[in-house]
Amino acid sequence: MREQLAGAAGAGVAPAVDPGFAIRFLDAGNALPGVRALKPLMVEQLALRRGLDVLELGCGAGDDVRSFARRVGPAGHVLGIDSAPALVAEATRRSQDRELPVVFRVGDALALDLAAASFDRVRIERLLMHVDEPLQVLHESARVLRPGGRVVVFDFDWDTLAIDGADRELTRRIVRSHCDATPNGRVGRALPRLLGDAGFEELTTVPHGVVLPYDFFSWLVSSHLDAALAAGDFEPDELIAWWDQLDRAHAGGGFFAALLGFVASGTKQAPRG
Ligand SMILES: C[S@@+](CC[C@H](N)C(=O)[O-])C[C@H]1O[C@@H](n2cnc3c(N)ncnc32)[C@H](O)[C@@H]1O
């Protein structure tokens, strides 16, 4: 349907199958102004300082791990964990020839092969939407944090995707379909509750919106709609008409899309008494 996008996206090849796609998609997402603006918010919540031990779950290509490492300095250390071996390899490659205290490992955030109480900070950005049990990831985070340590999480809430420029009812169906196809598409709004359920205290939650430019939006949504079309959830004609409306709106300066996410943080309580 969107030949030019299918080409860019590896002809519909899933990110897990085509590592090149995953890396290009991650880099494009991290280059969005709204995502770039998110990073300092998270750094502020992490309150990094020299000598801290930091764990990044779902580190992707590791750009933020290197940024954290510059802040904790040689007396600290930052470990990046990701379930995708190709991303861990890319993160390791990007870190070569830099004298930074970073290590990257393949691992599962749901079952960390790490000692209890061995980190001062855990950062988790845009991972929880991908897992079926986000609370388990937060329990693991609490386990590996030292008492008084802090977790900082960001995730989107895909039900908040606001799109201007096309038919209202069909747009609603598409937003819902896209959200429901994500294992935890609504995890953003659940973050304060999940952090509380995992036993964290001193909770803070800050909403953060990201504007999606048309090229990135098309890439993102067409990947999903190709699958939804194949599953029979939509008629080809209605999707062609929807994209035509958006193409015209974009050409006329009338397209807009934005998505809300949340930066949530909490502290692991020190033993009482
Ligand atoms: C959207 S990316 C975010 C990457 C990185 N945090 C950043 O800001 O660039 C989500 C990452 O989570 C990883 N991931 C998904 N499920 C995971 C799991 N169960 N354990 C570890 N990593 C996981 C994916 O491979 C992917 O690299």
Side-chain angles (χ1 to χ4, degrees), residues 26 30 39 56-64 81-84 87 107-110 123-127 129-131 137:
L26 261 182
N30 276 326
K39 306 292 182 179
E56 157 88 327
L57 297 179
C59 63
D63 296 347
D64 293 339
I81 297 234
D82 202 285
S83 56
L87 290 175
D108 183 357
L110 291 156
R123 203 286 291 254
I124 312 170
E125 180 185 329
R126 289 177 289 150
L127 176 148
M129 67 171 125
H130 296 297
V131 298
V137 175

